Amino acid sequence: MDVNIILKIAGVGLLTAIVCVILKKTDRDEIATFATLAGLIIVAVLVIDMLGGLFDTLRSILSLY
């Protein structure tokens, strides 16, 4: 498994957490929620891309379609 993708996910999580804490300290809870949601969407896109690559690999190994 590529360590690079794990570091990307950890980086997005860390950046999201820092932004969320800063926004909550300045009493902007709504924007902090949107920032957390944006981080979650970015990580979901990364994981979905990885799953697509996994299915392509499985299809080529099993000679399907």
Side-chain angles (χ1 to χ4, degrees):
M1 177 167 205
D2 195 16
V3 177
N4 197 14
I5 196 76
I6 295 171
L7 292 176
K8 283 183 184 178
I9 292 173
V12 170
L14 186 63
L15 185 64
T16 303
I18 291 170
V19 168
C20 185
V21 167
I22 291 172
L23 287 172
K24 284 190 178 192
K25 291 280 184 181
T26 58
D27 290 331
R28 296 186 175 164
D29 294 331
E30 296 86 13
I31 299 173
T33 303
F34 285 128
T36 304
L37 185 61
L40 181 66
I41 290 171
I42 291 170
V43 170
V45 167
L46 287 173
V47 170
I48 288 171
D49 186 44
M50 286 176 37
L51 283 174
L54 174 68
F55 288 139
D56 288 339
T57 304
L58 285 174
R59 187 179 334 148
S60 68
I61 288 173
L62 299 175
S63 300
L64 298 174
Y65 184 171

